[in-house]
Amino acid sequence: MSVSAISIKGVNKTYEGKIEALKDINLDVEEGEVFGLVGPDGAGKSTLFNILTTLLLPDSGQIKVFLMDAVRDYKSIRQIIGYLPGTFSLYPDLSVQENLDFFAVMYKSDIEENMSLIEPIWKQISPFKDRKAGKLSGGMKQKLALCCALIHRPSILFLDEPTTGVDPVSRKEFWDILKSIRQQNITVVVSTPYMDEATRCDRIALIQDGRIIGINPPQTFINNFKGKLYTFKSENIFSLLKVMEQCPLNCNYYPYGEHCHVAFYEDMQEALPKFEAFLQEHHQTYETITPIDPSVEDCFIEIVTHSN
Amino acid sequence: MKELRMILKKEFIHIFRDTITLALVLAMPIALVLLFGFTISTDIRNAKISVLDQSKDTQSKTLVNQLSASGYFQVVSYPHNELEIDDDFKNKGIKLAIIIPPNFEENLSKEGNATLQVINDVSDLNVASILNNYVRAVVQRYTADYNDNSSRGSAFDITVKMLYNPESNSVYMFVPGIITLIMVLVTALLSSITLAREKETGTMRMLLITPVKKIYIIVGKVIPYMIISFISTIAILVISVTVFKMPINGSLLMLLFLCIIFMLTAASFGMLISSISRTQVDAMMITMMGLFLPTVLLSGFLFPLNSMPMVFQVLANIFPAKWFILAIKDVMIKGSGFFDIWLYLLILFVMAVVFIIFSLSRLDKRN
């Protein structure tokens, strides 16, 4: 049996005695996997990251990073982790090269030695190495931050919402980079509010209101989806939302981008005609209702609604 | 050590790339000394006065002559009655009026004393009390002369010897004060602001999760600003000595050593402030209220501590500036050596150690 890279047992964290940021968190991250922490803003992702990176103490519970205790052995943990915070946290008045040099020395690391690890990323930003870090584009900033976080060849890399505020092309690029980092035998823990990115992780933990509501590979979440999911286009999503409150069927309706999703928990032979009749009865105009495969977001919504 | 060198290098890059702040920091001390030196002077020359001489005898004229010969006063008007004195205050801008009542000489020779009325414009309290002292001094000398001439013999003579600052030069008072202010501003304010900036932008978190020692982060922050503040201090001293003829009676080495100790105290106070503040604005406000104001008000730099209510006199003890000003005045003006000021040095040093220990413990607090 392989050693867990991270093992978290019963962790709680309350801010200022009132705000419960984390409630009884239990999870394990296997060595060498890309583990995603998926949940909306304010779910507690960053708090959990701060605790894992030993910047914050939990109120209770136990955290082990490669068998080291996050409270007691925080100094040893700091030697083996890389951290990319949610906001750009390099020196904007230092050049790209100066930032990298600085963090290399802070981590007692040698740039030459670890160049092989960061080379694919560094190649993309090295044309701008004399530019001040503050003058880089959002995607470039993230790549530089990633280089700085990897320069000491950490065993675990923590990425707190690395793709928030980054354009879709750079986001895709960034995930490709994460895959290549994983091939270097570095465990990656990444948080994201974007459910569509979750499928690129080996396993994900869904987190909502400080609680973990499920840990599985993304495909398992999708396979475990209980309802039968249909999608259709409606002309007035908001009036539909109101009307659906009176729907007699056992179903869950929610807007999904430009579309509407309905998950039914009934026998579809009877339910679908009933549903169409219901919509017509309430003067809702819609286009064809078609079945669709659930995404991680659908799974998240199903779990959240069912736990309420 | 490689880490410390790197932190220092980074800090100097911050300083030299922020040219406006750098220029301000280097120019401010020089501007302050020149400003204080040329404008804020407590020595008054040629104050305009009026004299209403109602006796017009030899003695009253001698007195008036002595007043105008003193250099402190310039008699601009000789009103004929008290109503006109009022006009002079309003229209001729006089600061003081003297009324010599009738029969001045007669009273003086027959009864051995005479009265003199002085009317002050107290809309500026400082000027009024300084001028009053000047009048007193002139009259005292006049009385002494009179007694000698009339061979009455005075009961006693007061001989005042002005020690350490024989010309009562006000430059002596504010140069130590300005050195204190500059050191507090540059070392405490700037280093606390830059540390708070690292917290604000999140670079502090990045630094904290590296294995680098916390003391390196603090020392790396403090040393560059201590160097700048040391350069400023030298500039102030050079200007004070060359332009304002301020003496350095003690040893220069002792003076510089004292300054370095105080810089250390100021810088560690800055660290303390930034360890309890989260943003640059916090750091600035706390430095202003918690360090700059007490330095100006409670150090004895502008306002004498002895005349303050007991509470403030006690409160002044907890601010480093009071001890430094006592020590630097002793060294520069009295020429004191190490054994005269060792207690002040010790107090400043202990304060620095306490501040550093406290801020180190705060910096790594994880909750």
Side-chain angles (χ1 to χ4, degrees):
Chain A
M1 199 191 115
S2 67
V3 176
S4 288
I6 299 171
S7 143
I8 303 174
K9 286 196 181 72
V11 163
N12 289 285
K13 178 71 192 177
T14 307
Y15 285 117
E16 286 155 18
K18 302 193 277 278
I19 307 147
E20 289 185 284
L22 295 176
K23 297 165 205 159
D24 192 29
I25 300 286
N26 293 287
L27 67 86
D28 281 282
V29 176
E30 300 299 324
E31 190 177 352
E33 71 176 339
V34 174
F35 189 89
L37 212 52
V38 183
D41 290 342
K45 300 189 298 292
S46 292
T47 304
L48 189 54
F49 264 73
N50 283 340
I51 291 177
L52 287 173
T53 51
T54 74
L55 289 170
L56 198 65
L57 287 173
D59 294 340
S60 60
Q62 195 188 47
I63 300 128
K64 296 229 185 253
V65 178
F66 282 108
L67 300 176
M68 291 179 286
D69 189 274
V71 177
R72 212 182 51 238
D73 307 324
Y74 68 98
K75 281 187 176 152
S76 338
I77 292 180
R78 286 177 185 184
Q79 313 240 1
I80 59 151
I81 59 171
Y83 174 44
L84 186 78
T87 50
F88 178 67
S89 301
L90 301 175
Y91 296 101
D93 53 341
L94 261 60
S95 74
V96 169
Q97 181 77 54
E98 284 163 345
N99 265 300
L100 188 68
D101 290 346
F102 179 75
F103 282 101
V105 172
M106 290 304 111
Y107 279 112
K108 300 189 209 306
S109 162
D110 188 70
I111 295 180
E112 297 299 313
E113 232 170 73
N114 293 316
M115 198 32 129
S116 61
L117 176 64
I118 62 165
E119 183 124 49
I121 323 166
W122 181 247
K123 263 198 316 220
Q124 298 176 39
I125 48 172
S126 58
F128 311 103
K129 66 179 184 210
D130 293 322
R131 190 178 288 189
K132 286 186 186 154
K135 298 242 160 77
L136 294 173
S137 68
M140 288 289 176
K141 277 180 183 165
Q142 284 303 65
K143 282 172 194 161
L144 173 60
L146 194 56
C147 284
C148 292
L150 284 171
I151 194 62
H152 57 303
R153 199 176 278 275
S155 306
I156 305 186
L157 179 64
F158 291 98
L159 304 126
D160 193 1
E161 303 199 6
T163 53
T164 300
V166 174
D167 65 275
V169 178
S170 301
R171 268 166 68 184
K172 192 188 164 299
E173 253 177 40
F174 203 84
W175 278 96
D176 291 339
I177 292 171
L178 290 191
K179 287 277 161 185
S180 71
I181 291 169
R182 187 195 147 200
Q183 279 158 16
Q184 303 263 358
N185 199 26
I186 294 173
T187 309
V188 177
V189 181
V190 55
S191 75
T192 178
Y194 302 123
M195 307 275 174
D196 55 323
E197 291 182 338
T199 45
R200 309 210 48 170
C201 303
D202 296 316
R203 285 197 309 146
I204 52 174
L206 299 182
I207 180 165
Q208 161 87 352
D209 290 336
R211 265 182 224 285
I212 290 192
I213 54 177
I215 305 172
N216 271 315
Q219 196 54 47
T220 314
F221 275 111
I222 290 165
N223 295 343
N224 289 350
F225 191 77
K226 293 189 188 67
K228 293 165 191 89
L229 192 67
Y230 286 79
T231 180
F232 61 94
K233 252 190 164 167
S234 162
E235 284 199 349
N236 193 337
I237 290 180
F238 294 103
S239 92
L240 185 59
L241 199 62
K242 256 208 145 71
V243 165
M244 285 305 289
E245 284 169 12
Q246 307 160 26
C247 184
L249 293 157
N250 184 8
C251 68
N252 184 23
Y253 159 86
Y254 46 89
Y256 192 96
E258 291 180 312
H259 294 76
C260 311
H261 279 192
V262 200
F264 292 98
Y265 303 92
E266 301 210 11
D267 180 15
M268 287 321 291
Q269 297 251 290
E270 287 176 25
L272 202 56
K274 271 190 198 162
F275 181 63
E276 294 205 51
F278 169 77
L279 289 182
Q280 277 153 16
E281 193 184 315
H282 288 86
H283 315 291
Q284 294 295 323
T285 42
Y286 60 94
E287 284 166 29
T288 357
I289 302 178
T290 47
I292 188 180
D293 285 334
S295 67
V296 172
E297 185 164 349
D298 294 306
C299 300
F300 183 85
I301 291 167
E302 178 176 77
I303 296 168
V304 170
T305 12
H306 281 211
S307 63
N308 286 346
Chain B
M1 277 322 269
K2 205 179 164 198
E3 290 102 302
L4 181 61
R5 273 213 308 278
M6 195 68 189
I7 293 179
L8 286 174
K9 184 183 159 195
K10 181 212 78 175
E11 218 55 53
F12 275 114
I13 292 178
H14 288 324
I15 293 171
F16 286 117
R17 293 211 177 138
D18 188 0
T19 36
I20 294 176
T21 309
L22 182 66
L24 207 67
V25 165
L26 290 178
M28 183 176 58
I30 298 168
L32 263 185
V33 182
L34 293 177
L35 217 67
F36 272 73
F38 284 122
T39 58
I40 305 184
S41 166
T42 48
D43 319 326
I44 300 170
R45 302 270 158 208
N46 296 326
K48 291 179 183 168
I49 62 167
S50 293
V51 175
L52 170 54
D53 186 353
Q54 290 169 332
S55 40
K56 291 200 165 63
D57 48 38
T58 340
Q59 285 309 322
S60 72
K61 278 174 185 158
T62 315
L63 178 59
V64 174
N65 281 341
Q66 284 196 11
L67 278 170
S68 48
S70 68
Y72 301 130
F73 305 108
Q74 181 193 355
V75 183
V76 292
S77 128
Y78 294 94
H80 300 96
N81 53 49
E82 295 187 22
L83 274 177
E84 285 181 38
I85 290 179
D86 210 37
D87 280 347
D88 288 351
F89 272 110
K90 283 175 182 152
N91 302 326
K92 292 197 174 150
I94 60 161
K95 297 286 170 202
L96 183 132
I98 289 172
I99 302 173
I100 304 173
N103 311 323
F104 184 71
E105 185 172 4
E106 205 181 315
N107 286 345
L108 210 54
S109 57
K110 283 186 182 157
E111 291 167 33
N113 69 61
T115 51
L116 197 66
Q117 188 181 8
V118 178
I119 303 172
N120 269 310
D121 169 9
V122 200
S123 57
D124 187 335
L125 181 60
N126 279 337
V127 171
S129 60
I130 290 168
L131 289 182
N132 259 342
N133 285 337
Y134 289 161
V135 172
R136 220 174 287 256
V138 173
V139 170
Q140 210 161 40
R141 183 170 302 167
Y142 163 79
T143 319
D145 288 350
Y146 176 80
N147 286 342
D148 282 352
N149 292 343
S150 59
S151 62
R152 273 168 180 263
S154 166
F156 55 83
D157 261 348
I158 300 173
T159 320
V160 178
K161 188 178 176 199
M162 311 272 261
L163 274 183
Y164 309 126
N165 185 359
E167 291 166 32
S168 305
N169 207 330
S170 49
V171 177
Y172 287 28
M173 305 309 292
F174 66 75
V175 165
I178 289 178
I179 292 177
T180 319
L181 277 189
I182 292 300
M183 285 204 266
V184 165
L185 271 182
V186 175
T187 37
L189 184 62
L190 286 185
S191 57
S192 74
I193 284 183
T194 53
L195 198 66
R197 180 166 64 205
E198 298 227 17
K199 280 190 180 175
E200 210 175 303
T201 56
T203 49
M204 198 52 174
R205 286 149 55 102
M206 294 299 287
L207 272 180
L208 281 178
I209 66 157
T210 67
V212 70
K213 289 198 178 72
K214 305 295 155 291
I215 187 82
Y216 286 170
I217 301 179
I218 298 265
V219 171
K221 273 280 166 216
V222 165
I223 288 181
Y225 292 101
M226 280 179 71
I227 292 175
I228 293 184
S229 142
F230 195 69
I231 295 172
S232 299
T233 304
I234 305 258
I236 296 172
L237 287 177
V238 169
I239 295 178
S240 319
V241 171
T242 54
V243 181
F244 297 110
K245 310 282 177 259
M246 168 103 189
I248 299 176
N249 292 326
S251 106
L252 184 64
L253 224 57
M254 187 64 233
L255 179 64
L256 295 181
F257 177 68
L258 172 67
C259 287
I260 290 172
I261 293 288
F262 181 64
M263 271 190 289
L264 192 70
T265 319
S268 51
F269 201 101
M271 289 300 105
L272 181 77
I273 287 166
S274 50
S275 73
I276 55 174
S277 49
R278 284 185 185 170
T279 63
Q280 295 179 67
V281 178
D282 283 359
M284 195 138 82
M285 291 309 287
I286 301 175
T287 315
M288 281 296 169
M289 304 306 285
L291 191 55
F292 193 71
L293 277 185
T295 301
V296 174
L297 300 177
L298 288 180
S299 64
F301 157 39
L302 286 178
F303 310 104
L305 283 171
N306 296 343
S307 56
M308 285 181 192
M310 206 54 203
V311 191
F312 291 111
Q313 293 194 36
V314 173
L315 197 64
N317 291 329
I318 65 166
F319 295 103
K322 174 197 162 171
W323 305 107
F324 176 68
I325 288 195
L326 284 174
I328 195 177
K329 275 187 179 166
D330 281 2
V331 173
M332 285 187 82
I333 303 171
K334 290 191 196 165
S336 306
F338 180 79
F339 294 102
D340 303 305
I341 60 161
W342 69 271
L343 184 65
Y344 302 144
L345 283 169
L346 185 69
I347 292 173
L348 289 173
F349 187 73
V350 168
M351 282 180 166
V353 171
V354 170
F355 294 155
I356 287 176
I357 290 174
F358 188 77
S359 44
L360 267 178
S361 71
R362 286 278 320 187
L363 190 64
D364 208 14
K365 211 160 189 185
R366 297 186 292 158
N367 58 15

